[in-house]
């Protein structure tokens, strides 16, 4: 059981916070041992199984990456389900991208994801263990399109999804934390 321990006040920003995903980092879920959190449940460190285990950077086409997190609570049972989904477009299909998609599709252990929003904030998801079971993220679709016209985009659209009961966790000093893991 949890109690509400604080509120949220308007930050008086000039308009809205910048949308979109700047970068995505992926790691094999079986190579992430744990995350450390502070008193407010924000991530302060990510521990990997060895120094050879790393996060790999994926760059999406500018203005094409978006993260969605939907929280649903059943009014009768009060059970909470959260679906996290990141979709992004990568231009110019090639063998390296083909191999990445094939590896993601064949990854039985799942993925741990860190995305960087265009606000500069880092968020980790796909790392939660709930009821003794890991809840990793998984590639749920990859659509490759060659385009019909010379001016059409040759691209892959990737969607990575995770079903869990915890929202993505903010990473305190995200650039420093991730700098130690790539």
């Amino acid at each position: 059981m949890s109690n509400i321990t604080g509120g949220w006040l308007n930050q008086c920003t000039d308009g809205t916070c910048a949308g979109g995903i700047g970068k995505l980092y992926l790691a094999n879920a079986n190579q992430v041992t744990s995350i450390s959190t502070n008193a407010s449940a924000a991530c302060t460190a990510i521990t990997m199984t060895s120094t050879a285990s790393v996060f790999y950077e994926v760059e999406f086409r500018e203005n094409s990456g978006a993260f969605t997190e939907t929280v649903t609570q059943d009014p009768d049972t009060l059970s909470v389900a959260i679906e996290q989904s990141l979709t992004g477009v990568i231009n110019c299909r090639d063998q390296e991208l083909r191999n990445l998609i094939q590896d993601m599709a064949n990854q039985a252990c799942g993925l741990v994801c860190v995305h960087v929003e265009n606000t500069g904030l880092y968020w980790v998801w796909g790392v939660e263990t709930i009821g003794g079971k890991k809840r990793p993220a998984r590639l749920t679709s990859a659509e490759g399109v060659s385009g019909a016209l010379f001016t059409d985009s040759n691209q892959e659209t990737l969607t990575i999804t995770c079903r869990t009961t915890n929202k993505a966790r903010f990473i305190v000093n995200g650039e420093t934390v991730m700098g130690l893991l790539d």
Side-chain angles (χ1 to χ4, degrees):
M1 184 69 80
S2 180
N3 293 318
I4 295 176
T5 59
W8 185 86
L9 300 175
N10 186 339
Q11 304 300 309
C12 298
T13 58
D14 295 334
T16 61
C17 294
I21 302 300
K23 292 180 186 174
L24 172 66
Y25 296 92
L26 298 173
N28 298 307
N30 62 336
Q31 294 178 334
V32 176
T33 306
S34 65
I35 61 169
S36 300
T37 57
N38 62 17
S40 65
C43 175
T44 56
I46 299 172
T47 305
M48 307 288 282
T49 56
S50 75
T51 55
S53 300
V54 297
F55 276 82
Y56 297 96
E57 184 177 338
V58 176
E59 285 186 313
F60 293 117
R61 182 175 73 205
E62 191 171 315
N63 300 318
S64 78
F67 177 74
T68 304
E69 192 168 47
T70 304
V71 178
T72 306
Q73 182 183 43
D74 184 291
D76 296 323
T77 66
L78 303 181
S79 63
V80 173
I82 299 173
E83 182 153 323
Q84 301 159 326
S85 182
L86 188 141
T87 300
V89 176
I90 301 174
N91 283 344
C92 301
R93 298 165 3 112
D94 63 11
Q95 184 65 30
E96 185 178 354
L97 179 56
R98 177 252 180 235
N99 292 345
L100 170 64
I101 292 168
Q102 194 68 48
D103 288 345
M104 290 170 65
N106 293 334
Q107 177 46 276
C109 293
L111 304 164
V112 171
C113 302
V114 171
H115 72 267
V116 185
E117 296 181 356
N118 286 333
T119 58
L121 301 180
Y122 287 66
W123 299 87
V124 61
W125 50 286
V127 71
E128 301 292 338
T129 299
I130 299 161
K133 183 177 180 346
K134 286 189 173 187
R135 303 298 298 183
R138 298 191 185 282
L139 177 70
T140 51
S141 72
E143 180 182 30
V145 178
S146 67
L149 301 174
F150 188 71
T151 54
D152 289 345
S153 182
N154 177 305
Q155 65 188 31
E156 291 274 356
T157 301
L158 305 181
T159 301
I160 301 167
T161 305
C162 180
R163 291 188 182 119
T164 185
T165 59
N166 288 310
K167 288 180 64 68
R169 294 180 189 271
F170 168 70
I171 303 177
V172 178
N173 298 318
E175 188 172 358
T176 301
V177 170
M178 294 310 296
L180 299 171
L181 301 172
D182 62 359

